[in-house]
Amino acid sequence: QVQLVESGGGLVQAGGSLRLSCTTSAPRFSINAMGWYHQASGKQRELVASISRGGSTIYADSVKGRFTISSENAKSTVYLQMSSLKPEDTGVYYCSARLMSGYDYWGQGTQVTVSS
């Protein structure tokens, strides 16, 4: 059973920063890509950023220039550095891992609240 454990959420004022971390139990060689998704209350889960095994990154337009995704391969860990946070960034952030087998796994989510 692949597990993903997220940490780093919390309450921050608008303009502030947070760093989310996600560590997976999946062996690094089995991971194709990892990513972060955002789900605001009452809305669908949406991709925020992803990073491939080769290091290629993708960002949602709404976070470009403010968020940075990075990985620490030796630890099967991915980070999301969030800066210049806005109230609309509030929600639950989920970490995901897509394995080479094609299966997707999800973390339990971590709450981020940005106050205005």
Side-chain angles (χ1 to χ4, degrees):
Q1 181 81 14
V2 173
Q3 294 183 327
L4 286 83
V5 179
E6 301 126 330
S7 62
L11 173 65
V12 64
Q13 289 187 334
S17 299
L18 282 174
R19 189 175 84 152
L20 307 182
S21 301
C22 171
T23 298
T24 177
S25 60
R28 188 63 188 93
F29 66 82
S30 69
I31 299 171
N32 188 26
M34 295 187 72
W36 289 96
Y37 288 72
H38 170 232
Q39 187 166 22
S41 180
K43 296 188 177 181
Q44 289 187 328
R45 193 175 299 186
E46 297 180 337
L47 176 69
V48 173
S50 67
I51 185 165
S52 72
R53 62 187 288 115
S56 298
T57 57
I58 296 174
Y59 292 95
D61 287 342
S62 60
V63 306
K64 285 180 180 177
R66 299 190 299 123
F67 292 8
T68 302
I69 189 170
S70 61
S71 63
E72 190 172 356
N73 293 341
K75 296 183 179 181
S76 295
T77 298
V78 64
Y79 304 99
L80 185 68
Q81 178 67 46
M82 305 187 293
S83 303
S84 301
L85 283 160
K86 305 175 180 180
E88 51 263 44
D89 295 322
T90 293
V92 180
Y93 284 75
Y94 295 91
C95 177
S96 73
R98 170 160 291 181
L99 303 192
M100 298 296 286
S101 63
Y103 284 104
D104 291 332
Y105 292 88
W106 296 87
Q108 79 286 354
T110 184
Q111 176 70 40
V112 171
T113 303
V114 184
S115 63
S116 57

